[in-house]
């Protein structure tokens, strides 16, 4: 039995070693990914449920690795955070997204107030000079701060509330808007988060996908979140809407904005430009 145990450890060791090597390799690859243009920003339309028209976009990062193909952001963003590369990468995403927001407003006058929503890691939020950097990128790209939203997860804000609040205040003084992302997945209450300078609440996909005709627990909670957010004067964006039924239910709750595969998946800028040119109305 002992011998078997040993053999097991040997295999386990080798696997761990292989994972560590693979990880190190990916770190190195990620360092080069920006210069070699392997990173791309995709954009997912956010729809106004009243008009059925595109009102804005969420910028979502993509990595096309030359050997491994597409690597999911959930995986490589963790690497970027651990190595500090998130600073460079995050600023690059913000610059790209602000450029596109400005360009699309000019190119498509039928969409004069498209907003752009960009994800911000807690590592970016607590990094010195974030506010100056954001201001610099806004000036450089000519993007009107009114049309920029920054998304910060509920967990990130709640964990470091004391550090984060002054930074959020400074960001709003630039004239940009702040969203709480993935709301409902952490453990904080909306009544507490309300005291943060936020304008928008994004209801997590796990709630939206749980919406059914029968009023089950998830449906009740989702409906309560939307109601409370509205009564606190917050804008609500429902994430991950995939079905007509989810759409109808959200609409009946008075939810104004939504994104999801029901309308469009995130896509590269040429596809988005073609979509805007066709001026879709759902
Ligand atoms: P997130 O911010 O919650 O982004 C929403 C995710 O839901 C995206 O996954 C999007 O493609 C996906 N999604 C949208 N609609 C639907 C739908 O109807 N059905 C389903 N099944 N999925 C839908 P994605 O692009 O894989 O991004 C995953 C996460 O990676 C993001 O979650 C965000 O936390 C992170 N991320 C992506 N880009 C960036 C970035 O530029 N900076 C930072 N810090 N994080 C990013
Ligand atoms: Ca997000
Ligand atoms: Ca989200
Ligand atoms: Ca999420």
């Amino acid at each position: 039995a002992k011998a078997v145990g040993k053999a097991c450890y040997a295999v386990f060791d080798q696997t761990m070693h292989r994972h560590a090597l693979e990880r190190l390799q990916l770190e190195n690859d990620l360092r080069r990914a920006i210069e070699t243009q392997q990173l791309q920003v995709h954009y997912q339309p956010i729809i106004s449920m009243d008009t059925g028209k595109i009102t804005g976009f969420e910028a979502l990062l993509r990595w096309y690795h030359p050997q491994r193909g597409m690597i999911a952001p959930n995986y490589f963003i963790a690497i970027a955070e651990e190595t500090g590369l998130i600073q460079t990468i995050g600023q690059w995403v913000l610059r790209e997204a602000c450029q596109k927001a400005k360009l699309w407003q000019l190119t498509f006058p039928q969409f004069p107030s498209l907003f752009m929503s960009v994800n911000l890691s807690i590592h970016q939020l607590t990094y010195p000079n974030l506010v100056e950097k954001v201001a610099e990128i806004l000036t450089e790209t000519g993007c009107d701060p009114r049309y920029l939203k920054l998304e910060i997860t509920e967990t990130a804000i709640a964990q470091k509330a004391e550090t984060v609040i002054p930074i959020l205040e400074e960001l709003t003084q630039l004239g940009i808007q702040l969203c709480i992302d993935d709301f409902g997945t952490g453990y904080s209450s909306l009544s507490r988060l309300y005291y943060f300078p936020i304008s928008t609440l994004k209801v997590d996909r796990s709630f939206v996908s749980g919406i059914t005709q029968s009023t089950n627990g998830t449906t009740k909670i989702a409906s309560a979140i939307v109601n409370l957010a509205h009564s606190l004067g917050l804008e609500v964006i429902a994430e991950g809407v995939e079905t007509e039924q989810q759409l109808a239910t959200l609409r009946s709750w008075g939810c104004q904005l939504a994104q999801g595969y029901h309308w469009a998946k995130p896509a590269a800028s040429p596809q988005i430009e073609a979509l805007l040119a066709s001026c879709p109305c759902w």
Side-chain angles (χ1 to χ4, degrees), residues 40-43 64 100 104 265-274:
Q40 260 192 29
V41 183
H42 279 198
Y43 301 91
Y64 294 97
K100 288 296 184 249
W104 293 343
K265 289 190 174 180
S269 45
Q271 280 108 285
I272 295 296
E273 282 156 17

Side-chain angles (χ1 to χ4, degrees), residues 257-275:
L257 300 172
Q259 64 190 99
Y261 296 174
H262 177 70
W263 296 280
K265 289 190 174 180
S269 45
Q271 280 108 285
I272 295 296
E273 282 156 17
L275 188 67

Side-chain angles (χ1 to χ4, degrees), residues 240-275:
V241 176
E242 291 184 350
T243 69
E244 194 64 52
Q245 195 203 319
Q246 290 162 356
L247 161 63
T249 307
L250 286 161
R251 193 182 262 147
S252 76
W253 296 343
C255 183
Q256 313 101 318
L257 300 172
Q259 64 190 99
Y261 296 174
H262 177 70
W263 296 280
K265 289 190 174 180
S269 45
Q271 280 108 285
I272 295 296
E273 282 156 17
L275 188 67

Side-chain angles (χ1 to χ4, degrees), residues 58-60 118-119 151 181-182 202 239 259:
E58 178 176 2
L60 293 157
V118 179
N119 292 284
E151 301 190 3
D181 200 359
D182 296 352
K202 296 193 83 168
E239 296 187 320
Q259 64 190 99

